[in-house]
Every structure is written in structure tokens, then in C-alpha cells.
Amino acid sequence: MSCSVNKVKSFLKKHSVVLVIFALGLFLRIYGCLSVHYFSLDEDRWRSLAEEISFVPATFHLVIHGDHHPCLEVYIIKLSTILFNKQFFTFLPAAVAARASYRLLQVLLCSTTILVIYRLAYNTLGKQAALVSSFLLAVSQFHIHLSRTIVQIGPLLFFAAVSLLFFWKSLTNNKFILLTGASLGLAYLSEESAAFLLMIFVAYLLFTRRLLRWLHKWETYAAILIFAILISPDLYWNFTTHGSNMIQHLGKAGRFNGISLLSTSLYLGELFLWFAPDINALIGGIGKGHVWPLEYPPMNWVLGIICLVAVLAAVYERRNDFVRFMLTVFAFVFFFFTIFASKGPLGNFSYYWASISTIPAIILAGALLSKMLSAQAWARWLSGLTFAYLTVSAVAFLSLHDQIYIRNPIVLGQFYTNLAEENVLRGNYQLAAVNLEKALTYVPESRAARVNLMECYKNGAKAKGQLLPLVSGGNDVNQRYLFDRGYIKEWMVGQWEEGGKDQGRSQGMFIAAGIMKESGHLDIIKSGSAIISSKRLQRPRVGAITYAYTSVYAPKTRPVRLWLMADGGASIWIDGEKVYEKEQGKLLWIADQDEIVGMLKKGWNELVLRLVSQGGRNFGFSVKITAENGDIIDGIMNLAEPVTELERK
């Protein structure tokens, strides 16, 4: 017994510093977990999937795919709510207790990455370099955010770091080959970008002339089998689901669109926002847009510079096997997303896809700062000031009321305004008001934010008293700023299963009311939101057909533009004439994805949509009618009644 106690004491004494660093990182992440509210709908989507899981025999149900990514995050949330029930947190407010319940396992798992980084660098670069590396990760705002909220990148980095550790050990110990296969499978189930590690491992074995020896080991084939078994449910979902995420990602990865700053923005994104007049164009490359994912803050710019300098400095030490391995991992991921960054604004990767490169970058940065600590006095002082700054910066990051650590108010104001527009189109006026209020804190002169915030208040959103004078009254209410004007909100809808009768109306001669009344599938929708979503429609199976009919009144005969969003194939007829057809829609659910030129005659016009479901989670559609130049047309009306009945009235 005393021998065991002595071993524990010896271990704690030997690793006391890294345990203090781990405690610091864990504290920062737990504080963030309890203090920050979720920013986007991502956490809600993950949580709703986790709630679908049931281990009770009568209602047994498992999830095999997550929200746009594999399903490991879903099970982390489910297990967290089981291990850390809300009853454990009765001393906290109810909302905070709920966040703690479903986030805490993620916090613990991601915080443990600090120890994995330490172990990865300990036996190869020395204890001091390992300690500095673990400290840099502990105070990294990028990693703190991934750990405190439900974001799939956090578990990805944990299992990626574990995979790198096991693979490096497997070069001298065959039993770690099996563990590499298992950890790599779990990394993939966090996010698909873990597949890069498999390619990196094969390339490294090939370049170091070890591949042939590995092909003679039974452990290699067992590891491949373990990896394949773990990822098989997700592969099954992707290959059996029309328009799956994997098909989209492979399509993006296979397109060369020119050099971009996508990967660099992960490290220097904060600096870009100081100097770039058009941040989207800069990051996407010349002439290429890019969605700047503000909900995922980039690395602190000081740490980012240190990482990139450390990588360049490590090139001169590439004869060290471990340094060469770290450089291989960094270069493969970093330069892939620099060269194959897809065009935006919707068909792109985001900079956090290159997040695996941060593991070798931080380890090499730890090695560089460790050498500075052993150098002259000025270098030691500079290193000490860097550690102090990064610690203070991490605390300051947690003190922000937003999850976003961006200093450009105009960018933030536009971002929140755009986000509010999506909320308005979906009829969520309360969430739209929250985002518009944020937009006005950054850009108080925004007329679009003021006008639409007043509209949200009129539609039941809870108003903040101090903002009422800012948004109310006068000449600022310019109708062209209202987000949901021009959208058709009254429809008659009917749905048929795949192969069922759609009455042969594919030629466009569709008198909607009569057919749907006869079939018994009539549903009249008078929606307050612009997007007719699965909340209003029964989400059909892949290939099922949905017809939507409405009558549109035009004050005079004129050409118009129809702006369509449809999660699936779509056809449109105006007064029996087909004006648009596409076989497959986009899985990303954004309004006004497609524009169609048409003609409305004076008086009432019949507008018919034929939608073919591709099994999207958010089945729905929206249609907006504008003039040819995109302006809203005054006097346009619509009713979910057939033209003949309206004419009789």
C-alpha cells in the first residue's frame, strides 16, 4: 500500500507543473461552458438528435449520422446528460444547469487534449517543450471555444492528437497500431477531415520506407478493420442518402479554385480584420467569396504568428524524425486547404477545417519558446511576457458577452443583420430581434437593423426598453428594408409518396384546388414566415412529390423575377407555362438560391410548384416575387385560392 502511495506522490511531483496547466485549462473551459450561451442553431440541432437516442428496449433507437457531420458528438451529448444530470447542478440557475448537463463531458474530453499534447512532445522534444506546448493549448482561445460549446472540432482535435500519439508509438511498438486504428475511427466519427490523418500516415510510412514492413504485420490489417467497422454506419448513411454530406464534401475537395488564405486565416484571422476592406474576398482569394464563420473565433493573432514562425524555423531541424513528422502533418493539411479552398459563399470549406494543423503547430511553437527560455535574458523576458499576454487574453476572451472575438464592428453589424434576416424569413422574430439588437450595438446607424427590429417588436418579440427610442418613429421606416417583403405566404399544398399519383400534372396544367380536394391531400397554409418549412409540411421521404399552389395578383402586366429556395428538385409554372425546372436542390437551406425570369399578366395569375424531396432534414421552400431589377413590387397580393373562385368574387 505504501509503495503505491509513494508511486502516486512521485508521479504528482514529477508532473506537477503539467497538472497545474491542465487545471488552468479546465477552469477556463468550465467557466466558458457555464457563462456562454449558444450562438447559432448548431447546439440545438445536436441536442435534438441526442434526444432521439433511446436505450429502452421498447423505444430503442440509435442515430447513425449527425447534423451535417458524423454522429459522435450526438453520443457525447447523450452520455453527458446521463452522467451529469441537471439534478447535479441545482445550485445553478436552470438555464445554466441545462448547459452544464449537455456540455460537461465535451469540456472534460477536450481539456484532456492538453495532457495528450504534453505526452506527445514529452519523449521527443523534452519536458520543457512539452510543458510550453500544453500551456499554449490551455490558453488558446480557439481551443477554449471548441471545448466549451458543442462543436464537433473539439472532439476531433482530441482524437486526432491521440491518433498522432499512438501512431508515433506504433513505429516502435506494434500494439499501438491497433490503438491507432481505433482512435482514428473515433476521430473520423467526430468530423470527416480526420481522413487526412490516414493519408498522412500512409505517406509518412512511404517516405520513410517503412510501408512495406507494415504490410507484413497482422496488426496493420486488424487496425484497418477496426477503423472500417467504426466508420461503417456513417458510410452507410452517406452512400444510401441522396445528396449526402460526403458527396458534397468530396465535390468540394476535388475542385481547384486557386490559392486562398483560408488556412492562414485560422492563425491570422484577427489581423486580417484590421486591414481588409472586404474580408470575404480576401480569405476566399481574388474574386472568390468565403463565408467567414464568426461563431468560431480564430486563433489569437500573437499565438498564430508564433505558430507560423515556429513551423518555418522547424524546417531547419527536419532531420529530427519527430519534427519531420510534425511538419508533414502540418504541411499536408495547411496547404491542402490553401490550394483546394472551394468557392463561396455557400460551397466552401471554412478555416476550422484546417484545425488539425494546429496540433503540430502548437507543439513546434512550444519547442521554439522552450529554446528561447534557455537563451539569453532578453529572450526569456520576451517568452515570459508572451505567456502572460496569452493568459490575460484568454481570460479577456471569456469575459466577452459574445462568442465572437472580432474587433471590426462593421463586419459584426453586417453579420448579425444577415443572421437576423434568416430568422425573420423563418418566422422566428424573437431570435431575429436578439441579433438585430446586437447589430445595433456595433453599428447604431444601421437603418436596415432599426426598421426590421421594429417589425420584430410588432410581431411579438420582446423589446428592450433602451432600444425603443432608437428604432421607433419617423422617417427611418423605409419599406425597402423589411426582410420578408415580397415573399408568398399563402399556399395550398398536397403531398404524394414516391410513385404515387400526382395526377400527371408534370406538364403544368394543374388546377390545384380541385385535384387536391378530390385526393383528400389538401392543406391550406397561411404562414407568418416567408419560408414554408417542415414545421408546416410533413417531411416526406426521398422522391416524394409536393405540389404547392397559390394565386398572385399583379396591378399590371409586367416581367418579374421569382426567387426560389427548395430543398430538392423543383418545377415552376405560371398560368400553365413551365418557367423553371431543376432535378436537385441544395442541402444548405438559404432563401433566394435560384432566380427565374417570368411574366405576370394584369389581374390574378396561377403559380404552381412541384417539389421532389431529396430527404433533407429541413424540407421546405420559399418564393419571392420582385421586379426585374430586384425591387419590391407594390400592389402584389396572393391568396391560397384558385383563380376561378377569385374571379367569381
Side-chain angles (χ1 to χ4, degrees), residues 551-555 600-605 635-639:
S551 298
V552 178
Y553 179 83
L600 292 181
K601 69 177 186 294
K602 182 179 180 180
W604 290 102
N605 301 260
I636 289 283
M637 296 185 295
N638 89 281
L639 291 171

Side-chain angles (χ1 to χ4, degrees), residues 3 110 120 169 225 236 363 375 390 485 494 507 617 619:
C3 181
C110 297
L120 186 56
K169 287 181 172 291
L225 180 61
Y236 170 80
I363 289 175
L390 292 176
R485 289 192 71 219
Q507 300 304 313
R617 183 173 179 80
F619 178 76

